[in-house]
Amino acid sequence: MKIHVKQIECAGHGQCAALAPEVYELDDDGFCAVEDLDVPAEHEDAAALGAASCPAQAIEVIEA
């Protein structure tokens, strides 16, 4: 699984990092610092949860 964060759409709500801190990291301004990431198998559920929680729908999950 891969994730892609559409940086221009990220509104800085931080829900992704709140629910899946092992996958998502916020920058100093509170926006998602992750852009493209190959998610390790053990973190796929967390990555999907973080993506689903994004109010701006800025995170795309790409199934391999």
Side-chain angles (χ1 to χ4, degrees):
M1 160 192 277
K2 295 182 180 191
I3 57 169
H4 171 72
V5 178
K6 297 172 258 180
Q7 298 294 327
I8 198 156
E9 294 181 23
C10 178
H13 294 284
Q15 292 300 306
C16 58
L19 294 174
E22 62 273 74
V23 178
Y24 300 97
E25 181 181 330
L26 302 180
D27 65 17
D28 292 338
D29 295 320
F31 293 92
C32 189
V34 175
E35 188 167 347
D36 291 299
L37 179 69
D38 290 319
V39 179
E42 65 268 16
H43 296 306
E44 287 183 354
D45 289 341
L49 178 63
S53 73
C54 178
Q57 299 181 339
I59 304 170
E60 179 182 5
V61 175
I62 303 161
E63 299 290 340

